[in-house]
Amino acid sequence: MREYRSLAGRFPALINGYQRWDRGSAFTPRALDAAAGVGAAYMLTWEPWPGQLDPIASGESDAYVQEFARDASVHGAPLLVRFAHEMNLRGIPWAGSPNVFRAAWRRVRTIFNEAGATNVQFVWSPYVQDGSGDPFAPYFPGADMVDWLALDGYNWGARGWREGWRNRWQGFNAIFERSYREIVALAPDRPVLIAEMGCAERGGNKAAWIRDALLRAVPGDYSQLVGIAWFNQFPTGHADWRINSSAQALAAWRTVVADPLWSLGGMELTGTKLDR
C-alpha cells in the first residue's frame, strides 16, 4: 500500500485482497486492519479452492463458514466479501452449474446472516460478457442475497494472452457498457463496482486508455458505478496491468487520481494480490 502511495500520490480508497479456502484460511484481520490503518476499506475476494462448489451447496463446508462468519462478526469492522468471482468465465475452477453456484452462494450468505455479521456485505462479481464466458444472469443468487454488484473486465491488448482467444484493443465502453446495463437490470437499487480492471501496454496507448476510461467514459453514463478496482499486478503469462508499466501510464494514473471526481468522490480503488 505504501508503494502504491509513493506511485499514485495517495492511498487508495479500498484494497482488494484474495484468500483461498484450501490453505487453512481462517478469518484473519491482518489485511483488514492494514487497510483501515490507511483509511481504506477492505474487499476480500474469497476463492473456493480446490474448486468444487458442490460441498458448499450441500452443507459440507458449513462448519468452516460458520467459524469464519463468527470471527468476522466479532471483529466488527466493515468488510466486503467477494465470493467465487468470475463464476461465468470458462476455466475458473469453481465454474459449473448455475444451480449449484446459486445454492452455494445462498448457503454461505445465510450462514453470515445467522451469525449476525451485519458488518459484512456481499459482492457478486461475474466477468463481462465478451465471448470468453457464459451469460452471467443465470448465476445471480437473488437481490436479497447481494449487497453490491460488480464486474471484472480487461483490455487485453493485441496479443493472445489467453489460449485459443484472439484479443484486440478495446475501449472501456466496448468492454463494460453492455454488461453494465445487464447487471444493473438484475438489481436496479444496488451499487456497482468494477472489481477488477486493467489495460495492457501492447496494442495501443495505455496512458490514453486510462484517461479516456476514467475521466470520460465512467462519468458519462454509469450512474450506479461507485468505484473501480484496478488490478495493479504483472502476473506470469498475463499483460502488465500495473499503473507504472510505463512512465506514460503512471503519469496518466496520477492525473486521474488527482481529478476531483476521484480524489474527492472516493471512487478510486486498487487491487492488490494478497493470497493469505
Side-chain angles (χ1 to χ4, degrees):
M1 285 183 286
R2 297 190 184 282
E3 179 185 3
Y4 172 82
R5 182 190 184 188
S6 70
L7 292 171
R10 67 179 179 88
F11 287 117
L14 182 147
I15 303 297
N16 177 20
Y18 294 73
Q19 181 167 330
R20 296 166 60 130
W21 287 49
D22 64 345
R23 294 186 175 177
S25 52
F27 174 78
T28 52
R30 178 180 59 85
L32 176 58
D33 292 343
V38 297
Y42 187 69
M43 179 165 65
L44 172 66
T45 296
W46 206 10
E47 300 177 322
W49 290 86
Q52 297 297 321
L53 291 178
D54 298 82
I56 301 173
S58 68
E60 294 178 40
S61 300
D62 280 4
Y64 166 62
V65 180
Q66 288 164 353
E67 180 181 6
F68 200 103
R70 284 194 302 268
D71 290 346
S73 178
V74 169
H75 187 270
L79 173 65
L80 298 179
V81 171
R82 182 172 166 246
F83 172 66
H85 68 301
E86 299 181 358
M87 75 302 294
N88 63 317
L89 187 61
R90 300 180 195 117
I92 287 290
W94 46 88
S97 162
N99 289 338
V100 173
F101 176 86
R102 293 197 308 271
W105 179 286
R106 294 185 70 88
R107 193 169 194 104
V108 170
R109 178 61 192 266
T110 297
I111 289 173
F112 273 76
N113 289 347
E114 292 172 346
T118 56
N119 57 308
V120 178
Q121 296 189 341
F122 275 72
V123 181
W124 183 69
S125 184
Y127 198 82
V128 292
Q129 297 180 173
D130 66 353
S132 62
D134 298 319
F136 52 67
Y139 294 88
F140 187 57
D144 61 322
M145 292 281 129
V146 171
D147 299 297
W148 296 71
L149 304 171
L151 290 166
D152 293 0
Y154 291 84
N155 176 22
W156 291 83
R159 181 173 173 179
W161 300 102
R162 293 176 287 180
E163 184 177 355
W165 183 257
R166 184 176 180 180
N167 298 298
R168 63 192 184 281
W169 190 266
Q170 293 181 292
F172 181 90
N173 286 334
I175 298 167
F176 288 104
E177 185 175 23
R178 173 194 165 197
S179 294
Y180 169 80
R181 299 194 186 288
E182 293 186 12
I183 202 170
V184 165
L186 295 174
D189 63 340
R190 296 294 189 270
V192 180
L193 292 172
I194 293 178
E196 287 187 27
M197 184 176 91
C199 178
E201 276 284 355
R202 298 182 182 180
N205 186 325
K206 181 173 179 175
W209 193 96
I210 291 171
R211 289 190 296 268
D212 183 69
L214 301 181
L215 296 178
R216 298 182 183 89
V218 169
D221 198 19
Y222 294 85
S223 61
Q224 286 181 233
L225 183 62
V226 298
I228 303 279
W230 188 276
F231 192 75
N232 192 34
Q233 301 293 317
F234 189 5
T236 302
H238 279 240
D240 188 347
W241 308 120
R242 296 173 301 172
I243 60 171
N244 60 329
S245 56
S246 66
Q248 294 81 4
L250 180 59
W253 186 263
R254 291 180 68 94
T255 296
V256 166
V257 300
D259 188 275
L261 171 68
W262 300 91
S263 62
L264 299 180
M267 293 178 66
E268 175 248 340
L269 317 176
T270 297
T272 301
K273 191 70 173 177
L274 292 175
D275 284 324
R276 296 185 286 130

